[in-house]
Amino acid sequence: MASDDIAQLADALSKTHVGDGELSYKGLGLKLDNAESVEELVREIEQYQGLRALRLEGNTVGVEAAQAIAKALESKDLLQRCYWSDMFTGRLRSEIPTALRSLGSALMSAGARLTELDLSDNAFGPDGVKGIEQLLKSPSCHTLRELRLNNCGMGIGGGKILAEALIECHRQSSAHGAPLRLRVFIAGRNRLENEGASALAKAFQLIGSLEEVHMPQNGINHKGVMALASAMRHNPELRVLNFNDNTFTKKGTLAMAQALKHLRNVQVINFGDCLVRSEGAIALAAVLREGLPILKELNLSFGEITEAAALVVAQAVMDKPHMEKVDLNGNCLGEEGCEALRDAMESMDKGDVLASLSDDEGEPEDEEDDDDNENDDDEGDDDDDVSDDCNEDNEEDGDIVKENGVTRKEDSPVKLQSPAEIMSFLSCPSVEKLLQLGEMRTHLSQQVDASDPHKAAEVLLKIASLYSEEPETKTAVLETIDDVFKKLLSGPALQSYCFLSTLLVMMGVLKGEGKMKKVLLVPGQLLCLEHAVQQDYFPQHHASLLHTFMSKNSEAFKSCGAARERLSSALEMRLRGAVCRLQRRELEVYVWGECQ
């Protein structure tokens, strides 16, 4: 080694940080090619008693240098934290696995018990994962709590190898009575795609101890997202979910919403740039209303969310006392929509929580035939997934089977055959058939289920289309509408919100995904809604959702004239009544406090 190089190395090593059991060469920019180049570094490692953490990030380590460092680590049984990110810059990709195997073997020989392993920003690809495979399976990683593999280019193959290694680590550690309890997993920018994500989901579900999962920018679409969502619900201590810049669409978002219902400790949700869209945002709003009690940050930026859906999200965070940031930037609100959102947040005394809206995309253009573009990631899928999107806990309570077009759980009783008269009415509705049903009209509500929102909305709109002011017909239609709505709105908010968003799509008020057929609205359908929103079974927040979309999309109802006005008035009266009741309660609380 040239004398200038030795002097440069000596100067760099003089900046080494030593203390608290940590030896750090972080960011020194050392070019460590061979054993000679690391003599001083190796000496310091060997002489450091009680070494618990070693920082090598920000240097570049060759195979021979790694082998020399590994030799020094063979006696370091107390080592727990290895910060080895960005330490192979300029190295051949073929060199990295060999270097990693040497270092891993040393840790295993020493009997080290790692708690943190950071190999981020090392572009080692699938072969690099093979280089740490044995280490991850070994007792040295049975105690692992944080695994950071950000920006490593693992790809699908690397993701699968990593998943199998984690599963084996969990199996072996469980056999020894102390199962792997990984808390933090970071693997952004790794091109994992659906297959890699699905493989890792199996490991996550088995481990069950995750608190933070960061997997942004991995080319994962709804299939992989659904697998990850299923795994997340088995990790009850989750605090941070970061899947930024993947492609959820409606299916993935609904799956994540379903998982979030079961997670009470989540503080940060980052679904930014995930194409959540309006239907997905509504589903997440439903979960916000009923769960996520300590949520602090919600990122739904750049998701093609429209103004009305953004307002529904804003209303849902109203009762979140810990909320610090809501990011809805880069969506499709338009200038007036941005102002309406700011006003809504201000009115709830949460104006400072709303992030900047400077990158808003503007109001979406009305395009009738763009479904093909929206459905690109759904090619090859079956058309039966709509009925399962909002299915309540289906994976927990038995397998889902279909018989004669009816979805049911495998261990649930078979649904009784519907009377022929009911099926005849549904296939070709008419006032005459409805009246002829008599008491059998109650069977119509049995034809709907919130877990199949498309069919439920279709049945309701068919019945409502028969409305008229003729007394007998009016009574028959409204009684049936009451029965149907009572059933559909009595369940969890997520199911009822899915139903309402599907209803809005079919009515042409909300732009949905896929090729859902819109109905030609008639005044009777709006008059049935006018009746329903005034009933006790119709929750206040559901009325608020309808009012938000109606007020922002009134063009969809222009053919219904007076009926539209009646429905709007009913919704406004309902909301004003709620405000008055709230103000009265606040006054009563104030007076009671003064009297004390």
Side-chain angles (χ1 to χ4, degrees):
M1 179 180 272
S3 58
D4 288 346
D5 292 337
I6 294 174
Q8 184 180 1
L9 177 60
D11 179 62
L13 291 176
S14 68
K15 300 173 184 176
T16 301
H17 169 73
V18 179
D20 300 325
E22 179 180 288
L23 189 56
S24 175
Y25 304 92
K26 179 179 179 180
L28 297 183
L30 301 175
K31 191 172 187 295
L32 308 173
D33 296 324
N34 49 41
E36 184 183 4
S37 67
V38 293
E39 283 182 355
E40 183 65 26
L41 186 151
V42 165
R43 187 177 302 111
E44 290 187 357
I45 291 175
E46 290 175 338
Q47 293 176 354
Y48 197 110
Q49 300 300 312
L51 181 64
R52 295 182 182 276
L54 178 62
R55 289 190 174 274
L56 295 175
E57 65 262 55
N59 301 289
T60 177
V61 182
V63 172
E64 287 186 32
Q67 290 170 341
I69 294 171
K71 188 70 176 174
L73 291 176
E74 288 180 354
S75 62
K76 301 302 174 182
D77 60 323
L78 297 179
L79 187 62
Q80 296 177 334
R81 304 186 301 281
C82 296
Y83 303 107
W84 295 348
S85 64
D86 187 23
M87 69 175 203
F88 295 112
T89 302
R91 301 296 169 181
L92 295 175
R93 191 160 162 177
S94 58
E95 293 181 75
I96 301 174
T98 304
L100 289 172
R101 285 191 187 96
S102 297
L103 293 167
S105 295
L107 296 173
M108 291 186 281
S109 296
R113 293 293 183 266
L114 297 184
T115 58
E116 295 182 46
L117 177 60
D118 186 355
L119 290 166
S120 298
D121 300 315
N122 291 309
F124 49 50
D127 290 339
V129 185
K130 292 178 183 177
I132 59 172
E133 182 179 7
Q134 293 307 312
L135 172 63
L136 290 173
K137 291 179 178 179
S138 74
S140 289
C141 285
H142 288 184
T143 51
L144 198 61
R145 296 294 179 264
E146 299 186 16
L147 179 59
R148 303 170 189 269
L149 296 167
N150 202 56
N151 191 29
C152 290
M154 289 189 287
I156 294 171
K160 289 181 175 180
I161 295 167
L162 176 60
E164 288 301 320
L166 291 173
I167 289 170
E168 181 62 18
C169 181
H170 186 272
R171 187 190 69 79
Q172 290 191 23
S173 58
S174 297
H176 286 87
L180 171 67
R181 293 195 56 79
L182 191 66
R183 291 199 294 257
V184 176
F185 179 85
I186 301 176
R189 300 184 64 190
N190 271 292
R191 303 192 309 276
L192 294 170
E193 301 182 17
N194 287 339
E195 290 184 60
S198 296
L200 285 166
K202 294 178 182 177
F204 297 160
Q205 182 164 327
L206 186 66
I207 292 169
S209 57
L210 290 167
E211 296 178 14
E212 294 187 27
V213 177
H214 302 260
M215 295 176 67
Q217 204 173 340
N218 268 297
I220 307 168
N221 70 25
H222 74 270
K223 293 180 181 178
V225 173
M226 291 169 76
L228 288 167
S230 179
M232 293 304 101
R233 65 191 296 176
H234 292 275
N235 289 265
E237 299 304 316
L238 264 173
R239 294 183 294 104
V240 179
L241 271 179
N242 177 7
F243 292 110
N244 189 284
D245 199 8
N246 290 291
T247 307
F248 281 28
T249 61
K250 175 184 174 182
K251 297 175 191 174
T253 310
L254 290 181
M256 277 294 174
Q258 194 67 261
L260 287 169
K261 285 195 319 164
H262 301 268
L263 302 173
R264 305 289 295 176
N265 296 302
V266 174
Q267 297 178 23
V268 177
I269 295 173
N270 187 344
F271 295 163
D273 205 10
C274 284
L275 216 59
V276 165
R277 293 184 173 140
S278 295
E279 287 183 277
I282 293 171
L284 292 172
V287 179
L288 282 165
R289 283 198 171 274
E290 289 192 337
L292 303 172
I294 59 173
L295 188 66
K296 293 181 178 179
E297 294 185 23
L298 176 65
N299 184 345
L300 298 179
S301 60
F302 299 93
E304 294 189 3
I305 298 169
T306 58
E307 175 190 352
L311 289 170
V312 171
V313 172
Q315 292 160 7
V317 303
M318 177 173 59
D319 296 323
K320 292 287 175 278
H322 304 285
M323 189 64 75
E324 298 172 0
K325 183 178 181 181
V326 176
D327 192 346
L328 288 163
N329 194 23
N331 283 296
C332 304
L333 311 185
E335 191 173 332
E336 292 183 3
C338 289
E339 193 60 36
L341 181 59
R342 292 190 191 99
D343 289 345
M345 296 295 285
E346 288 285 354
S347 69
M348 296 183 291
D349 198 26
K350 290 187 180 293
D352 58 334
V353 169
L354 183 64
S356 168
L357 299 173
S358 59
D359 296 316
D360 186 71
E361 296 285 343
E363 293 183 55
E365 296 180 7
D366 292 327
E367 297 179 18
E368 292 296 327
D369 300 316
D370 60 354
D371 289 334
D372 291 338
N373 293 331
E374 294 184 356
N375 226 29
D376 286 344
D377 62 352
D378 297 344
E379 289 183 10
D381 284 0
D382 295 331
D383 292 330
D384 60 5
D385 48 12
V386 174
S387 64
D388 292 335
D389 278 341
C390 298
N391 225 358
E392 186 71 12
D393 302 334
N394 53 23
E395 68 181 56
E396 296 295 314
D397 301 323
D399 295 329
I400 298 298
V401 295
K402 288 196 174 188
E403 294 178 5
N404 301 320
V406 177
T407 302
R408 67 176 182 87
K409 295 184 178 67
E410 194 169 33
D411 55 358
S412 66
V414 178
K415 192 173 182 178
L416 295 175
Q417 188 71 28
S418 299
E421 295 88 345
I422 294 291
M423 304 313 295
S424 174
F425 170 79
L426 292 174
S427 64
C428 187
S430 69
V431 172
E432 291 75 21
K433 289 181 180 179
L434 182 66
L435 296 177
Q436 287 171 5
L437 286 175
E439 292 184 358
M440 285 203 320
R441 286 198 296 270
T442 57
H443 287 271
L444 286 170
S445 64
Q446 298 172 14
Q447 301 303 307
V448 300
D449 193 294
S451 64
D452 189 345
H454 181 271
K455 181 180 178 182
E458 191 175 48
V459 169
L460 187 134
L461 288 172
K462 283 182 178 180
I463 297 168
S465 68
L466 304 177
Y467 178 91
S468 79
E469 291 297 333
E470 193 278 318
E472 187 179 9
T473 302
K474 180 177 180 179
T475 300
V477 170
L478 293 183
E479 285 180 351
T480 309
I481 288 292
D482 286 340
D483 289 340
V484 171
F485 263 126
K486 283 177 185 176
K487 183 174 182 182
L488 293 174
L489 302 182
S490 62
L494 179 56
Q495 283 194 340
S496 55
Y497 270 49
C498 285
F499 157 68
L500 287 175
S501 65
T502 303
L503 182 66
L504 291 169
V505 171
M506 294 182 72
M507 293 171 68
V509 181
L510 170 63
K511 183 180 178 182
E513 291 183 17
K515 298 181 179 180
M516 190 180 296
K517 189 175 180 180
K518 297 174 185 175
V519 301
L520 183 62
L521 288 179
V522 296
Q525 292 161 329
L526 301 192
L527 294 175
C528 286
L529 276 175
E530 178 212 7
H531 164 80
V533 299
Q534 299 177 71
Q535 308 308 310
D536 290 340
Y537 61 70
F538 210 100
Q540 180 66 37
H541 56 97
H542 290 70
S544 177
L545 187 154
L546 280 182
H547 180 264
T548 298
F549 275 91
M550 281 201 61
S551 62
K552 302 301 176 182
N553 301 275
S554 58
E555 281 297 303
F557 304 108
K558 62 183 178 182
S559 63
C560 296
R564 177 190 65 187
E565 296 301 324
R566 285 177 56 177
L567 175 55
S568 296
S569 296
L571 286 167
E572 288 170 6
M573 287 181 62
R574 180 79 189 271
L575 296 181
R576 279 201 300 269
V579 171
C580 290
R581 286 193 295 273
L582 178 61
Q583 291 174 340
R584 189 164 58 248
R585 282 199 299 270
E586 290 176 347
L587 179 60
E588 289 171 352
V589 170
Y590 172 78
V591 171
W592 183 85
E594 288 295 305
C595 292
Q596 297 300 307

